[in-house]
Amino acid sequence: MKRRTALKALGIGIGGPVVLTTGGYGVYYAAAEQDTAGEIAFGKALSVPPLAESEISASGARVFTLGIRPGSTRFKAGPATRTWGVNGTYLGPTLRARRGERVEFTVRNGLDQDTSLHWHGMHLPAAMDGGPHQIVPAGGTWRPRWTIDQPAATLWYHPHVHGSTADHMYRGLSGLFIVDDEDTKASTLPSAYGVDDIPMIVQDRAFDADNQFEKRVPLGGALGVIGDEVLVNGTLGPYVDVTTTLVRLRLLNASSARLYNFGFSDNRTFALVATDGGLLARAWNTERLYLSPGERAEIVVAFTPGERVELRSYPSEYGGFLGRIDGFDDRLDICQFRAAATLLDDARIPATLGVAPDLAGEKVTRERSFVLASDQINGRSMAMDRIDFGVRENTVEVWDVVNDNGFLHNFHVHEAQFQVLTVDGRKPAPHLRGWKDTVLLAQGKHYRLAIRFGSHTDPDTPYMYHCHLLQHEDNGMMGQFVVLGKDEKPGTVPRTHHHT
């Protein structure tokens, strides 16, 4: 691994990471800019999370059983790493269900501490959301259930324990949740799971001398944990044997804080076909794509017989002064693709993919403003027993959101997908014109988000809105809202939901 310029602004001159203190999240190091381009051996085939098994109940519901448990995983030569997983030792299976299906879960917590599973991007009742108010106690069981009611999309699940989300996710609790709809089977997009339709859960991690996860927070950094190695589906240095001309990659940034600027080592063009909430109206061709923590994208890449090319994360324009500290200047090789001598050529990118967001012309019942700064939103830190506001069912609101303190933030809303209307008064870039639930916030720019709230009303049980950089979220950059029926007012969060 190449390491370049040191942190001159802090008066530190080093050629690699220097551990200054240890213990939990108190591990700090001074980080130099990293460049792993051409340095990764790519010696392991990419692990593909299995599709979760399910049963159909007598009532017709699709039933999943998920066991959260500790274990150990061998990522590299030497000792195995202590990890957590869902139905395994690290990460979890890919859940898959169709629009209109009733889904039911038995979630068993085999850990020695409380945790939760949040269904990120899913439209569902607040009591089933899996946020900090739906804790699964150590040794306990949680049984959420709801009817899938949204278009085909790549969603995901992860813990959402207030104050501990970063820790639980870093240990390994995450997985994909793919929603299909009536158009899925008819689509000509690549669709063979694990063959030409490949999930890619991208995470940065740091390992200590005994191969245990090390929670490194850069000296002077403001984002949280930044790792110096990249896992994809839990695989270090992975390669994919390509057998088709077109390959669909379902990208998820499941890192705690790192921003990825995805592209390929030969700067080839690829097609963005879907964002957080599903398919775009039409594909957008590009050479680069940013994903901040929590964001997903589906891209389609064309290959030629016999070639090899790497998926890479390139330096970012968003780093500013903290570029070298928090990884914005890094260039990281992530995965190698190895095309066979002969490739199947059955898939196509259709001219029309999905339906474009349509909220710009809707009646707006309320406008709200949100300022993210200093681990707070609108000058307030998260309080589990405080409902910040209520929204009315089946109405559209416009939220103006701004990052106002010079550090990287993004914004995630539970319960609904939103449409980015404008960015600083201008039409959003093509990658922001689909349905979103998480959006990167460039410093000082105003993002106007149109959100239609559904009919899952509950005056007492809140949904969250927050920065999805996990240290910021855990430190209090989060708020709560409830969806109200006619004449309802915000209620009181039951004390039994509080997490200590």
Side-chain angles (χ1 to χ4, degrees), residues 333-366:
D333 271 357
I334 293 173
C335 182
Q336 186 178 76
F337 294 86
R338 304 174 179 178
T342 302
L343 301 176
L344 297 176
D345 191 25
D346 295 333
R348 295 289 182 273
I349 302 176
T352 300
L353 293 165
V355 179
D358 56 357
L359 301 183
E362 293 277 339
K363 177 184 176 182
V364 175
T365 60
R366 180 73 181 263

PDB file of all heavy atoms in Angstrom, residues 333-366:
ATOM      1  N   ASP A 333      -8.586   0.576  -4.576  1.00  0.00           N
ATOM      2  CA  ASP A 333      -9.108  -0.506  -5.405  1.00  0.00           C
ATOM      3  C   ASP A 333     -10.041  -1.365  -4.555  1.00  0.00           C
ATOM      4  O   ASP A 333      -9.709  -1.729  -3.419  1.00  0.00           O
ATOM      5  CB  ASP A 333      -7.967  -1.350  -5.964  1.00  0.00           C
ATOM      6  CG  ASP A 333      -7.463  -0.823  -7.294  1.00  0.00           C
ATOM      7  OD1 ASP A 333      -8.034   0.153  -7.805  1.00  0.00           O
ATOM      8  OD2 ASP A 333      -6.486  -1.385  -7.825  1.00  0.00           O
ATOM      9  N   ILE A 334     -11.203  -1.721  -5.113  1.00  0.00           N
ATOM     10  CA  ILE A 334     -12.253  -2.371  -4.327  1.00  0.00           C
ATOM     11  C   ILE A 334     -12.515  -3.802  -4.781  1.00  0.00           C
ATOM     12  O   ILE A 334     -12.616  -4.715  -3.970  1.00  0.00           O
ATOM     13  CB  ILE A 334     -13.543  -1.535  -4.406  1.00  0.00           C
ATOM     14  CG1 ILE A 334     -13.309  -0.202  -3.684  1.00  0.00           C
ATOM     15  CG2 ILE A 334     -14.735  -2.286  -3.813  1.00  0.00           C
ATOM     16  CD1 ILE A 334     -14.431   0.785  -3.837  1.00  0.00           C
ATOM     17  N   CYS A 335     -12.632  -4.036  -6.093  1.00  0.00           N
ATOM     18  CA  CYS A 335     -12.967  -5.365  -6.601  1.00  0.00           C
ATOM     19  C   CYS A 335     -12.483  -5.464  -8.039  1.00  0.00           C
ATOM     20  O   CYS A 335     -12.545  -4.493  -8.792  1.00  0.00           O
ATOM     21  CB  CYS A 335     -14.478  -5.582  -6.529  1.00  0.00           C
ATOM     22  SG  CYS A 335     -15.045  -7.225  -7.074  1.00  0.00           S
ATOM     23  N   GLN A 336     -11.995  -6.642  -8.416  1.00  0.00           N
ATOM     24  CA  GLN A 336     -11.553  -6.864  -9.801  1.00  0.00           C
ATOM     25  C   GLN A 336     -12.574  -7.733 -10.534  1.00  0.00           C
ATOM     26  O   GLN A 336     -13.098  -8.707  -9.993  1.00  0.00           O
ATOM     27  CB  GLN A 336     -10.193  -7.562  -9.829  1.00  0.00           C
ATOM     28  CG  GLN A 336      -9.615  -7.699 -11.232  1.00  0.00           C
ATOM     29  CD  GLN A 336      -8.239  -8.341 -11.223  1.00  0.00           C
ATOM     30  OE1 GLN A 336      -8.106  -9.539 -11.049  1.00  0.00           O
ATOM     31  NE2 GLN A 336      -7.212  -7.514 -11.400  1.00  0.00           N
ATOM     32  N   PHE A 337     -12.832  -7.374 -11.792  1.00  0.00           N
ATOM     33  CA  PHE A 337     -13.742  -8.136 -12.643  1.00  0.00           C
ATOM     34  C   PHE A 337     -12.931  -8.803 -13.737  1.00  0.00           C
ATOM     35  O   PHE A 337     -12.152  -8.138 -14.443  1.00  0.00           O
ATOM     36  CB  PHE A 337     -14.812  -7.214 -13.216  1.00  0.00           C
ATOM     37  CG  PHE A 337     -15.737  -6.664 -12.167  1.00  0.00           C
ATOM     38  CD1 PHE A 337     -15.402  -5.515 -11.465  1.00  0.00           C
ATOM     39  CD2 PHE A 337     -16.915  -7.320 -11.855  1.00  0.00           C
ATOM     40  CE1 PHE A 337     -16.233  -5.015 -10.476  1.00  0.00           C
ATOM     41  CE2 PHE A 337     -17.754  -6.828 -10.864  1.00  0.00           C
ATOM     42  CZ  PHE A 337     -17.419  -5.681 -10.172  1.00  0.00           C
ATOM     43  N   ARG A 338     -13.112 -10.120 -13.887  1.00  0.00           N
ATOM     44  CA  ARG A 338     -12.364 -10.928 -14.839  1.00  0.00           C
ATOM     45  C   ARG A 338     -13.330 -11.545 -15.843  1.00  0.00           C
ATOM     46  O   ARG A 338     -14.073 -12.475 -15.516  1.00  0.00           O
ATOM     47  CB  ARG A 338     -11.590 -12.027 -14.116  1.00  0.00           C
ATOM     48  CG  ARG A 338     -10.654 -11.506 -13.027  1.00  0.00           C
ATOM     49  CD  ARG A 338     -10.026 -12.640 -12.230  1.00  0.00           C
ATOM     50  NE  ARG A 338      -9.116 -12.139 -11.222  1.00  0.00           N
ATOM     51  CZ  ARG A 338      -8.448 -12.914 -10.349  1.00  0.00           C
ATOM     52  NH1 ARG A 338      -8.640 -14.243 -10.365  1.00  0.00           N
ATOM     53  NH2 ARG A 338      -7.637 -12.373  -9.461  1.00  0.00           N
ATOM     54  N   ALA A 339     -13.328 -11.014 -17.038  1.00  0.00           N
ATOM     55  CA  ALA A 339     -14.280 -11.468 -18.054  1.00  0.00           C
ATOM     56  C   ALA A 339     -13.802 -12.758 -18.716  1.00  0.00           C
ATOM     57  O   ALA A 339     -12.615 -12.894 -19.054  1.00  0.00           O
ATOM     58  CB  ALA A 339     -14.489 -10.388 -19.099  1.00  0.00           C
ATOM     59  N   ALA A 340     -14.720 -13.681 -18.925  1.00  0.00           N
ATOM     60  CA  ALA A 340     -14.410 -14.940 -19.600  1.00  0.00           C
ATOM     61  C   ALA A 340     -14.141 -14.691 -21.087  1.00  0.00           C
ATOM     62  O   ALA A 340     -14.425 -13.612 -21.625  1.00  0.00           O
ATOM     63  CB  ALA A 340     -15.567 -15.915 -19.434  1.00  0.00           C
ATOM     64  N   ALA A 341     -13.587 -15.718 -21.747  1.00  0.00           N
ATOM     65  CA  ALA A 341     -13.254 -15.586 -23.169  1.00  0.00           C
ATOM     66  C   ALA A 341     -14.506 -15.451 -24.031  1.00  0.00           C
ATOM     67  O   ALA A 341     -14.466 -14.849 -25.116  1.00  0.00           O
ATOM     68  CB  ALA A 341     -12.423 -16.787 -23.618  1.00  0.00           C
ATOM     69  N   THR A 342     -15.623 -16.007 -23.556  1.00  0.00           N
ATOM     70  CA  THR A 342     -16.898 -15.893 -24.256  1.00  0.00           C
ATOM     71  C   THR A 342     -17.946 -15.422 -23.263  1.00  0.00           C
ATOM     72  O   THR A 342     -18.039 -15.950 -22.148  1.00  0.00           O
ATOM     73  CB  THR A 342     -17.322 -17.252 -24.851  1.00  0.00           C
ATOM     74  OG1 THR A 342     -16.305 -17.723 -25.738  1.00  0.00           O
ATOM     75  CG2 THR A 342     -18.630 -17.113 -25.613  1.00  0.00           C
ATOM     76  N   LEU A 343     -18.726 -14.432 -23.665  1.00  0.00           N
ATOM     77  CA  LEU A 343     -19.716 -13.848 -22.764  1.00  0.00           C
ATOM     78  C   LEU A 343     -21.130 -13.977 -23.339  1.00  0.00           C
ATOM     79  O   LEU A 343     -21.339 -13.748 -24.531  1.00  0.00           O
ATOM     80  CB  LEU A 343     -19.417 -12.361 -22.527  1.00  0.00           C
ATOM     81  CG  LEU A 343     -18.050 -12.027 -21.934  1.00  0.00           C
ATOM     82  CD1 LEU A 343     -17.876 -10.511 -21.850  1.00  0.00           C
ATOM     83  CD2 LEU A 343     -17.883 -12.655 -20.550  1.00  0.00           C
ATOM     84  N   LEU A 344     -22.076 -14.350 -22.491  1.00  0.00           N
ATOM     85  CA  LEU A 344     -23.475 -14.352 -22.893  1.00  0.00           C
ATOM     86  C   LEU A 344     -23.964 -12.917 -23.061  1.00  0.00           C
ATOM     87  O   LEU A 344     -23.527 -12.017 -22.348  1.00  0.00           O
ATOM     88  CB  LEU A 344     -24.327 -15.068 -21.846  1.00  0.00           C
ATOM     89  CG  LEU A 344     -24.037 -16.557 -21.627  1.00  0.00           C
ATOM     90  CD1 LEU A 344     -24.895 -17.093 -20.492  1.00  0.00           C
ATOM     91  CD2 LEU A 344     -24.276 -17.349 -22.911  1.00  0.00           C
ATOM     92  N   ASP A 345     -24.882 -12.711 -23.984  1.00  0.00           N
ATOM     93  CA  ASP A 345     -25.303 -11.350 -24.310  1.00  0.00           C
ATOM     94  C   ASP A 345     -26.815 -11.270 -24.416  1.00  0.00           C
ATOM     95  O   ASP A 345     -27.368 -10.839 -25.411  1.00  0.00           O
ATOM     96  CB  ASP A 345     -24.643 -10.911 -25.628  1.00  0.00           C
ATOM     97  CG  ASP A 345     -24.807  -9.425 -25.888  1.00  0.00           C
ATOM     98  OD1 ASP A 345     -24.987  -8.673 -24.914  1.00  0.00           O
ATOM     99  OD2 ASP A 345     -24.768  -9.023 -27.055  1.00  0.00           O
ATOM    100  N   ASP A 346     -27.512 -11.651 -23.327  1.00  0.00           N
ATOM    101  CA  ASP A 346     -28.972 -11.721 -23.355  1.00  0.00           C
ATOM    102  C   ASP A 346     -29.650 -10.482 -22.780  1.00  0.00           C
ATOM    103  O   ASP A 346     -30.786 -10.176 -23.144  1.00  0.00           O
ATOM    104  CB  ASP A 346     -29.459 -12.949 -22.578  1.00  0.00           C
ATOM    105  CG  ASP A 346     -29.011 -14.250 -23.230  1.00  0.00           C
ATOM    106  OD1 ASP A 346     -28.814 -14.237 -24.465  1.00  0.00           O
ATOM    107  OD2 ASP A 346     -28.844 -15.241 -22.511  1.00  0.00           O
ATOM    108  N   ALA A 347     -28.996  -9.789 -21.852  1.00  0.00           N
ATOM    109  CA  ALA A 347     -29.641  -8.673 -21.154  1.00  0.00           C
ATOM    110  C   ALA A 347     -29.528  -7.378 -21.942  1.00  0.00           C
ATOM    111  O   ALA A 347     -28.641  -7.212 -22.792  1.00  0.00           O
ATOM    112  CB  ALA A 347     -29.023  -8.497 -19.769  1.00  0.00           C
ATOM    113  N   ARG A 348     -30.426  -6.449 -21.656  1.00  0.00           N
ATOM    114  CA  ARG A 348     -30.432  -5.130 -22.298  1.00  0.00           C
ATOM    115  C   ARG A 348     -30.870  -4.084 -21.282  1.00  0.00           C
ATOM    116  O   ARG A 348     -31.604  -4.378 -20.333  1.00  0.00           O
ATOM    117  CB  ARG A 348     -31.389  -5.094 -23.489  1.00  0.00           C
ATOM    118  CG  ARG A 348     -31.011  -5.985 -24.657  1.00  0.00           C
ATOM    119  CD  ARG A 348     -29.789  -5.452 -25.394  1.00  0.00           C
ATOM    120  NE  ARG A 348     -29.449  -6.277 -26.552  1.00  0.00           N
ATOM    121  CZ  ARG A 348     -28.670  -7.355 -26.511  1.00  0.00           C
ATOM    122  NH1 ARG A 348     -28.179  -7.755 -25.336  1.00  0.00           N
ATOM    123  NH2 ARG A 348     -28.396  -8.041 -27.602  1.00  0.00           N
ATOM    124  N   ILE A 349     -30.450  -2.842 -21.480  1.00  0.00           N
ATOM    125  CA  ILE A 349     -30.950  -1.716 -20.694  1.00  0.00           C
ATOM    126  C   ILE A 349     -32.087  -1.082 -21.485  1.00  0.00           C
ATOM    127  O   ILE A 349     -31.852  -0.514 -22.557  1.00  0.00           O
ATOM    128  CB  ILE A 349     -29.854  -0.680 -20.428  1.00  0.00           C
ATOM    129  CG1 ILE A 349     -28.674  -1.311 -19.689  1.00  0.00           C
ATOM    130  CG2 ILE A 349     -30.421   0.500 -19.627  1.00  0.00           C
ATOM    131  CD1 ILE A 349     -27.510  -0.360 -19.485  1.00  0.00           C
ATOM    132  N   PRO A 350     -33.317  -1.185 -21.020  1.00  0.00           N
ATOM    133  CA  PRO A 350     -34.439  -0.622 -21.789  1.00  0.00           C
ATOM    134  C   PRO A 350     -34.391   0.901 -21.813  1.00  0.00           C
ATOM    135  O   PRO A 350     -33.825   1.542 -20.923  1.00  0.00           O
ATOM    136  CB  PRO A 350     -35.670  -1.125 -21.039  1.00  0.00           C
ATOM    137  CG  PRO A 350     -35.193  -1.434 -19.663  1.00  0.00           C
ATOM    138  CD  PRO A 350     -33.765  -1.851 -19.782  1.00  0.00           C
ATOM    139  N   ALA A 351     -34.986   1.488 -22.820  1.00  0.00           N
ATOM    140  CA  ALA A 351     -35.008   2.948 -22.948  1.00  0.00           C
ATOM    141  C   ALA A 351     -35.764   3.581 -21.794  1.00  0.00           C
ATOM    142  O   ALA A 351     -35.389   4.653 -21.304  1.00  0.00           O
ATOM    143  CB  ALA A 351     -35.635   3.350 -24.281  1.00  0.00           C
ATOM    144  N   THR A 352     -36.834   2.921 -21.343  1.00  0.00           N
ATOM    145  CA  THR A 352     -37.600   3.396 -20.188  1.00  0.00           C
ATOM    146  C   THR A 352     -37.485   2.353 -19.087  1.00  0.00           C
ATOM    147  O   THR A 352     -37.779   1.177 -19.305  1.00  0.00           O
ATOM    148  CB  THR A 352     -39.075   3.608 -20.555  1.00  0.00           C
ATOM    149  OG1 THR A 352     -39.176   4.580 -21.603  1.00  0.00           O
ATOM    150  CG2 THR A 352     -39.861   4.090 -19.347  1.00  0.00           C
ATOM    151  N   LEU A 353     -37.068   2.788 -17.894  1.00  0.00           N
ATOM    152  CA  LEU A 353     -36.840   1.863 -16.788  1.00  0.00           C
ATOM    153  C   LEU A 353     -38.001   1.867 -15.797  1.00  0.00           C
ATOM    154  O   LEU A 353     -38.609   0.854 -15.526  1.00  0.00           O
ATOM    155  CB  LEU A 353     -35.543   2.236 -16.064  1.00  0.00           C
ATOM    156  CG  LEU A 353     -34.245   2.051 -16.844  1.00  0.00           C
ATOM    157  CD1 LEU A 353     -33.107   2.789 -16.156  1.00  0.00           C
ATOM    158  CD2 LEU A 353     -33.912   0.562 -16.961  1.00  0.00           C
ATOM    159  N   GLY A 354     -38.265   3.035 -15.218  1.00  0.00           N
ATOM    160  CA  GLY A 354     -39.298   3.145 -14.204  1.00  0.00           C
ATOM    161  C   GLY A 354     -40.075   4.432 -14.370  1.00  0.00           C
ATOM    162  O   GLY A 354     -40.103   5.011 -15.462  1.00  0.00           O
ATOM    163  N   VAL A 355     -40.676   4.869 -13.288  1.00  0.00           N
ATOM    164  CA  VAL A 355     -41.483   6.087 -13.295  1.00  0.00           C
ATOM    165  C   VAL A 355     -40.749   7.163 -12.496  1.00  0.00           C
ATOM    166  O   VAL A 355     -40.350   6.928 -11.350  1.00  0.00           O
ATOM    167  CB  VAL A 355     -42.874   5.835 -12.685  1.00  0.00           C
ATOM    168  CG1 VAL A 355     -43.687   7.122 -12.667  1.00  0.00           C
ATOM    169  CG2 VAL A 355     -43.605   4.751 -13.476  1.00  0.00           C
ATOM    170  N   ALA A 356     -40.565   8.312 -13.080  1.00  0.00           N
ATOM    171  CA  ALA A 356     -39.859   9.400 -12.408  1.00  0.00           C
ATOM    172  C   ALA A 356     -40.671   9.915 -11.223  1.00  0.00           C
ATOM    173  O   ALA A 356     -41.900   9.878 -11.235  1.00  0.00           O
ATOM    174  CB  ALA A 356     -39.596  10.545 -13.384  1.00  0.00           C
ATOM    175  N   PRO A 357     -39.993  10.388 -10.165  1.00  0.00           N
ATOM    176  CA  PRO A 357     -40.712  11.022  -9.055  1.00  0.00           C
ATOM    177  C   PRO A 357     -41.625  12.138  -9.556  1.00  0.00           C
ATOM    178  O   PRO A 357     -41.276  12.876 -10.483  1.00  0.00           O
ATOM    179  CB  PRO A 357     -39.584  11.571  -8.183  1.00  0.00           C
ATOM    180  CG  PRO A 357     -38.415  10.690  -8.477  1.00  0.00           C
ATOM    181  CD  PRO A 357     -38.541  10.350  -9.926  1.00  0.00           C
ATOM    182  N   ASP A 358     -42.800  12.265  -8.928  1.00  0.00           N
ATOM    183  CA  ASP A 358     -43.841  13.139  -9.479  1.00  0.00           C
ATOM    184  C   ASP A 358     -44.429  14.086  -8.440  1.00  0.00           C
ATOM    185  O   ASP A 358     -45.591  14.476  -8.530  1.00  0.00           O
ATOM    186  CB  ASP A 358     -44.958  12.286 -10.058  1.00  0.00           C
ATOM    187  CG  ASP A 358     -45.539  11.306  -9.031  1.00  0.00           C
ATOM    188  OD1 ASP A 358     -45.027  11.249  -7.894  1.00  0.00           O
ATOM    189  OD2 ASP A 358     -46.503  10.601  -9.374  1.00  0.00           O
ATOM    190  N   LEU A 359     -43.628  14.489  -7.436  1.00  0.00           N
ATOM    191  CA  LEU A 359     -44.163  15.299  -6.355  1.00  0.00           C
ATOM    192  C   LEU A 359     -44.042  16.800  -6.590  1.00  0.00           C
ATOM    193  O   LEU A 359     -44.604  17.589  -5.820  1.00  0.00           O
ATOM    194  CB  LEU A 359     -43.464  14.947  -5.032  1.00  0.00           C
ATOM    195  CG  LEU A 359     -43.589  13.482  -4.581  1.00  0.00           C
ATOM    196  CD1 LEU A 359     -42.913  13.296  -3.230  1.00  0.00           C
ATOM    197  CD2 LEU A 359     -45.038  13.049  -4.524  1.00  0.00           C
ATOM    198  N   ALA A 360     -43.334  17.213  -7.639  1.00  0.00           N
ATOM    199  CA  ALA A 360     -43.092  18.641  -7.852  1.00  0.00           C
ATOM    200  C   ALA A 360     -44.384  19.424  -8.033  1.00  0.00           C
ATOM    201  O   ALA A 360     -44.471  20.598  -7.642  1.00  0.00           O
ATOM    202  CB  ALA A 360     -42.180  18.851  -9.054  1.00  0.00           C
ATOM    203  N   GLY A 361     -45.412  18.805  -8.612  1.00  0.00           N
ATOM    204  CA  GLY A 361     -46.654  19.518  -8.848  1.00  0.00           C
ATOM    205  C   GLY A 361     -47.723  19.282  -7.797  1.00  0.00           C
ATOM    206  O   GLY A 361     -48.845  19.786  -7.920  1.00  0.00           O
ATOM    207  N   GLU A 362     -47.385  18.536  -6.740  1.00  0.00           N
ATOM    208  CA  GLU A 362     -48.374  18.219  -5.705  1.00  0.00           C
ATOM    209  C   GLU A 362     -48.613  19.416  -4.778  1.00  0.00           C
ATOM    210  O   GLU A 362     -47.748  20.284  -4.596  1.00  0.00           O
ATOM    211  CB  GLU A 362     -47.883  17.036  -4.871  1.00  0.00           C
ATOM    212  CG  GLU A 362     -47.810  15.726  -5.636  1.00  0.00           C
ATOM    213  CD  GLU A 362     -49.142  15.022  -5.693  1.00  0.00           C
ATOM    214  OE1 GLU A 362     -50.008  15.309  -4.852  1.00  0.00           O
ATOM    215  OE2 GLU A 362     -49.314  14.167  -6.583  1.00  0.00           O
ATOM    216  N   LYS A 363     -49.790  19.449  -4.183  1.00  0.00           N
ATOM    217  CA  LYS A 363     -50.071  20.448  -3.169  1.00  0.00           C
ATOM    218  C   LYS A 363     -49.199  20.196  -1.950  1.00  0.00           C
ATOM    219  O   LYS A 363     -49.137  19.087  -1.429  1.00  0.00           O
ATOM    220  CB  LYS A 363     -51.551  20.392  -2.767  1.00  0.00           C
ATOM    221  CG  LYS A 363     -51.917  21.358  -1.654  1.00  0.00           C
ATOM    222  CD  LYS A 363     -53.374  21.192  -1.230  1.00  0.00           C
ATOM    223  CE  LYS A 363     -53.711  22.104  -0.054  1.00  0.00           C
ATOM    224  NZ  LYS A 363     -55.113  21.915   0.393  1.00  0.00           N
ATOM    225  N   VAL A 364     -48.514  21.244  -1.490  1.00  0.00           N
ATOM    226  CA  VAL A 364     -47.610  21.133  -0.343  1.00  0.00           C
ATOM    227  C   VAL A 364     -48.328  21.668   0.894  1.00  0.00           C
ATOM    228  O   VAL A 364     -48.756  22.825   0.934  1.00  0.00           O
ATOM    229  CB  VAL A 364     -46.304  21.919  -0.590  1.00  0.00           C
ATOM    230  CG1 VAL A 364     -45.419  21.905   0.658  1.00  0.00           C
ATOM    231  CG2 VAL A 364     -45.564  21.339  -1.789  1.00  0.00           C
ATOM    232  N   THR A 365     -48.471  20.825   1.904  1.00  0.00           N
ATOM    233  CA  THR A 365     -49.209  21.225   3.105  1.00  0.00           C
ATOM    234  C   THR A 365     -48.340  21.936   4.131  1.00  0.00           C
ATOM    235  O   THR A 365     -48.863  22.664   4.983  1.00  0.00           O
ATOM    236  CB  THR A 365     -49.841  19.993   3.772  1.00  0.00           C
ATOM    237  OG1 THR A 365     -48.805  19.071   4.140  1.00  0.00           O
ATOM    238  CG2 THR A 365     -50.812  19.315   2.830  1.00  0.00           C
ATOM    239  N   ARG A 366     -47.023  21.733   4.064  1.00  0.00           N
ATOM    240  CA  ARG A 366     -46.147  22.342   5.069  1.00  0.00           C
ATOM    241  C   ARG A 366     -44.715  22.358   4.538  1.00  0.00           C
ATOM    242  O   ARG A 366     -44.282  21.438   3.851  1.00  0.00           O
ATOM    243  CB  ARG A 366     -46.208  21.529   6.372  1.00  0.00           C
ATOM    244  CG  ARG A 366     -45.349  22.035   7.517  1.00  0.00           C
ATOM    245  CD  ARG A 366     -45.906  23.285   8.154  1.00  0.00           C
ATOM    246  NE  ARG A 366     -45.051  23.765   9.223  1.00  0.00           N
ATOM    247  CZ  ARG A 366     -45.235  23.503  10.526  1.00  0.00           C
ATOM    248  NH1 ARG A 366     -46.251  22.735  10.904  1.00  0.00           N
ATOM    249  NH2 ARG A 366     -44.422  23.992  11.437  1.00  0.00           N
TER     250      ARG A 366
END
